[in-house]
Amino acid sequence: MRAFVVSDHAAAPAVTEVPEPTPGPGQVRIRIHACGVNFGDLLMVKGTYQETPALPFTLGMEVAGEVDALGEGVTSPAIGTRVAVFEGAGGMAESGVFSAERCVEIPDAMPFEEAAGFIVAYGTSHLALTDRAHLKKGERLLVLGAAGGVGLTAVELGAAMGAEVIAVARGAEKLAVAKAAGATHVLDSDTADLRAEVKALGGADVVYDAVGGDGFKAAMRATNPGGRIIVIGFASGDVPKIPANHLLVKNIDVIGFYWGGYLTWAPERLSRSLGDLMAMYEAGKLSPHIGAVKPLDAAGEALELLRSRKVTGKVVVKTR
């Protein structure tokens, strides 16, 4: 079978012929149809992600497809079940083996391309806003990187939760996408005085930041007393230093959030969140935005789209 393999952290990954895997105890084999591309994949290529597998490995954190073989001791999900799963690596391939207990059954109406980009993006925003930030109806939510894979879901979910959403993104096209997802206000990160304009709108009660850098600093200064800032990631490449005296004076909470960590220390919360999200999807309350779909042979182009931040929503690699 074909797989997009990282063989050397100093070289680009390449599509390679590899043996089809056999599921071990507790595993299922999935006939993969699509794989979502995540910022962590870019870090894995370089070997700088906190959970980078040993070389060589197949890239791809989240997948969607059909179960076609069961390992020892596995009875569910049954062969033929349509599932999505997040398991760190192995997704940019025609088949892969994954933990049976991490598989989430997907609705028949959900295309594999949407399912492959659903778990991490929506799961991140839902748990961050509900379990960590405790976003309340009527609060003002500021989303940095609002047109990206996770940022756009934060806009959509924040609006669905009754928040007044301020979306920050680069350029008119991305701002229009954020507006369509439910943002009340949109600000161009290239031209806006973020601190001044957010304060003019009444300040932020909750900040969702997947970007870091100067945006974080401006957002912190525009956060209302008692506000919460959720640290999601650092797409800008700049990890900001946080002046603790500002937190003290304004009674601000800065909250770290790593969705994948819930798999080990609070899997029941993650499962409950994904169940809620699937129910919202089936009820027609969520509309995943897939910005680009690339075939497996062009997986390198998919990575570049994410790296350059030239696409809105989720980037997906179609493996079949």
Side-chain angles (χ1 to χ4, degrees), residues 303-315:
L303 292 179
E304 183 55 35
L305 282 174
L306 191 64
R307 182 184 295 109
S308 63
R309 296 164 66 185
K310 291 181 179 178
V311 68
T312 58
K314 195 74 176 182
V315 180

Side-chain angles (χ1 to χ4, degrees), residues 128-151:
L129 294 175
T130 59
D131 197 68
R132 298 292 282 154
H134 303 290
L135 179 68
K136 301 177 184 66
K137 183 177 181 180
E139 288 191 310
R140 197 169 293 109
L141 169 66
L142 173 63
V143 180
L144 306 183
V150 293

Side-chain angles (χ1 to χ4, degrees), residues 183-278:
T184 307
H185 314 281
V186 293
L187 300 175
D188 193 322
S189 59
D190 279 342
T191 59
D193 181 336
L194 188 59
R195 177 188 179 187
E197 294 193 36
V198 172
K199 291 189 75 162
L201 291 170
D205 301 306
V206 174
V207 176
Y208 180 103
D209 179 22
V211 180
D214 291 339
F216 176 94
K217 299 169 190 173
M220 186 178 68
R221 292 179 175 274
T223 299
N224 293 327
R228 291 90 71 200
I229 303 173
I230 321 166
V231 178
I232 302 294
F234 313 103
S236 68
D238 181 357
V239 180
K241 292 181 172 59
I242 302 171
N245 59 316
H246 289 202
L247 308 183
L248 182 153
V249 171
K250 296 181 71 174
N251 288 288
I252 291 173
D253 294 331
V254 175
I255 304 166
F257 182 81
Y258 171 44
W259 182 84
Y262 277 71
L263 291 167
T264 55
W265 68 273
E268 72 288 349
R269 294 191 215 173
L270 189 148
S271 296
R272 184 169 61 247
S273 169
L274 290 176
D276 291 345
L277 287 166
M278 288 299 177

Side-chain angles (χ1 to χ4, degrees), residues 127-177:
L127 263 183
L129 294 175
T130 59
D131 197 68
R132 298 292 282 154
H134 303 290
L135 179 68
K136 301 177 184 66
K137 183 177 181 180
E139 288 191 310
R140 197 169 293 109
L141 169 66
L142 173 63
V143 180
L144 306 183
V150 293
L152 196 58
T153 63
V155 171
E156 187 178 9
L157 287 168
M161 293 169 68
E164 179 185 338
V165 181
I166 306 171
V168 180
R170 180 177 296 164
E173 180 182 352
K174 291 184 177 182
L175 293 176
V177 170

